[in-house]
Amino acid sequence: MTEKVLILDFGSQYTQLIARRIRELNVYSEIVPYDKVPELDESYRAVILSGSPFSVREERALRPDLDKIVGKRPVLGICYGAQYIADYYGGTVSRSLKREYGKANLGRVRRMQGLLRGIETGSQVWMSHGDTIEHLPEGFELLASTADVEVAAFASTKGRFDQPVYCIQFHPEVYHSLDGKQLLHNFVIDIAGCKGDWTPAHFIEQTVEALREQIGDDDRVLLGLSGGVDSSVAAMLLHRAIGDRLFCFFIDNGLLRKDEFAEVQQSYQGMGLSVTGIDAKQEFYDALAGESDPELKRKAIGRVFIEVFEREAKQLTDVKYLAQGTIYPDVIESVSVHGPSVTIKSHHNVGGLPEKMGLKIVEPLRNLFKDEVRKVGTELGMPAHLIGRHPFPGPGLAIRILGDITPAKVQLLQEADRIYIDKLREYGLYDQVWQAGTILLPVQSVGVMGDERTYEQAVALRAVSSTDGMTAEWSHLPYEFLAAVSSSIINNVKGINRVVYDISTKPPATIEWE
């Protein structure tokens, strides 16, 4: 039985970060909307209430029934979670005259035991709240304050509930809270008694066993490989579980990086997978001809992908399952507090295929974050170059070519992009960035090459640093490197005479341009 820490999501931007920090302690964490609390069976060892953009003073405040949780398991309330607990049990919460946001320092810390063990007076924490707790409920005691907030941390007194309740007005999950990891360790390991044995090896063992139970002894599984880490690790887990009953398609949509179709297939050869490479470039080019709208390009690619996939799948028999490389952020997004988020872009996947083909879905990675997927891949013994591959969008270069798609534009971008990626490796920078790519801009600019004036294409280089792609900072690549890339592209790719570097963060920009 896997130990779990349940996280109730009240809509905080940091909720996923709480889950990640718990998992760094080798304890499995699970996020659910605040109003969808599951039955607390023996696997659930503790419950955390997240922060929220809401105020407990608002009419629309999120108000779950705490009696289903409190007293059943140790509870930690963070920001809104703390304020709601105080309000629920009769304390006083009001709008603060001074919003406390950013760095603060704890004072009057009771550090001898419990949640704040090992955390010294003056410890830096990160605040982000507009409400303040003026009076604690009966049966709770003050643990710590800051210069501006009297109630920065408090807890239930002994005997108030059958299980302890801790509440904090700061975010231990962010790096700015310097002792945040110690605090979460105190709660999860010491107070909740979790063993901390949820490791990649443990995950593989449990997942393989679960896959065998789900799929059965004779059924076959079909998986669409992309060459990326998610689908590759999913394939290896399935291969370990069911062996040669897994069939993989790798479709060349003509929008991959230069030589990627052949290189990725070669990488899979030593992994024991049954991979069928499908050259469908022309079908995708035909569907994209003359189309410039980003959404319509994505939809055209998705439609043709399904058509090709379905056509090739008909040549197989006894396939009962369709495997997908869905990861945990995708799952959380679909059941968020506010419902599915506003569509920023259509995602390229096998949507619609399961119903059309009468297949059941199997998703081996649906409980993992991206960095955890990589750790599992390493534990499975996969090649480092596959595990460390940068994320690559499903629509491929179609959304890195702004405007309509032609084979000539694809080839131009492939050449420039290959130089960029090769240079990142040459300079030892590839593994220091989360994702990098080249964008072909729909503009031409004047240039001088030799004694001739040119009027050619411009490309933008993009490189970002991130953990899971939810937020991203532009990578501060050395000037000498950028100069070398620019010079190499302009000198070697006929048709490009200008290179620029994108220094936008996400948000407000996205990682991709379309």
Side-chain angles (χ1 to χ4, degrees), residues 151-168:
V151 182
F154 62 101
S156 59
T157 54
K158 190 173 183 180
R160 176 65 175 87
F161 302 107
D162 290 338
Q163 297 283 350
V165 177
Y166 292 93
C167 299
I168 52 178

Side-chain angles (χ1 to χ4, degrees), residues 79-307:
C79 284
Y80 180 90
Q83 295 152 11
Y84 182 58
I85 288 172
D87 181 73
Y88 190 89
Y89 288 105
T92 305
V93 181
S94 62
R95 297 298 288 175
S96 177
L97 296 176
K98 179 182 178 183
R99 175 177 169 83
E100 189 166 47
Y101 182 86
K103 297 175 184 177
N105 298 95
L106 293 182
R108 301 205 305 274
V109 175
R110 295 177 51 160
R111 58 184 178 276
M112 291 76 69
Q113 60 183 356
L115 188 71
L116 301 181
R117 180 184 62 80
I119 298 177
E120 300 291 333
T121 298
S123 177
Q124 177 181 297
V125 295
W126 183 262
M127 296 284 193
S128 179
H129 59 91
D131 284 354
T132 189
I133 299 168
E134 293 186 350
H135 301 290
L136 293 177
E138 184 178 346
F140 286 80
E141 62 180 338
L142 181 68
L143 293 183
S145 307
T146 70
D148 294 314
V149 174
E150 174 66 15
V151 182
F154 62 101
S156 59
T157 54
K158 190 173 183 180
R160 176 65 175 87
F161 302 107
D162 290 338
Q163 297 283 350
V165 177
Y166 292 93
C167 299
I168 52 178
Q169 281 275 69
F170 54 90
H171 289 274
E173 66 273 20
V174 303
Y175 287 115
H176 304 295
S177 291
L178 300 183
D179 292 314
K181 186 173 183 178
Q182 177 66 48
L183 184 147
L184 291 173
H185 181 281
N186 292 344
F187 179 69
V188 172
I189 304 298
D190 298 343
I191 295 168
C194 293
K195 297 184 182 68
D197 59 359
W198 192 71
T199 62
H202 186 214
F203 172 82
I204 292 168
E205 180 183 347
Q206 286 195 321
T207 301
V208 167
E209 183 179 339
L211 287 170
R212 286 171 179 162
E213 186 174 331
Q214 177 185 359
I215 295 168
D217 296 331
D218 301 313
D219 296 336
R220 291 178 165 189
V221 178
L222 182 57
L223 169 67
L225 286 169
S226 67
V229 64
D230 296 341
S231 65
S232 299
V233 173
M236 289 302 294
L237 283 168
L238 282 159
H239 179 66
R240 181 167 291 195
I242 64 171
D244 59 7
R245 289 185 286 126
L246 171 68
F247 296 87
C248 303
F249 286 166
F250 182 34
I251 298 176
D252 184 358
N253 58 11
L255 303 163
L256 303 173
R257 284 182 154 133
K258 182 180 178 181
D259 299 330
E260 189 171 35
F261 187 55
E263 290 173 357
V264 169
Q265 287 187 89
Q266 188 175 3
S267 296
Y268 286 135
Q269 283 180 1
M271 296 166 59
L273 299 175
S274 172
V275 182
T276 300
I278 301 166
D279 183 351
K281 291 192 291 289
Q282 195 57 50
E283 291 178 68
F284 284 90
Y285 290 154
D286 290 345
L288 288 166
E291 186 56 71
S292 297
D293 183 271
E295 267 300 287
L296 295 180
K297 285 196 289 187
R298 287 176 178 271
K299 289 178 179 177
I301 292 167
R303 174 178 56 77
V304 176
F305 182 89
I306 289 174
E307 291 171 358

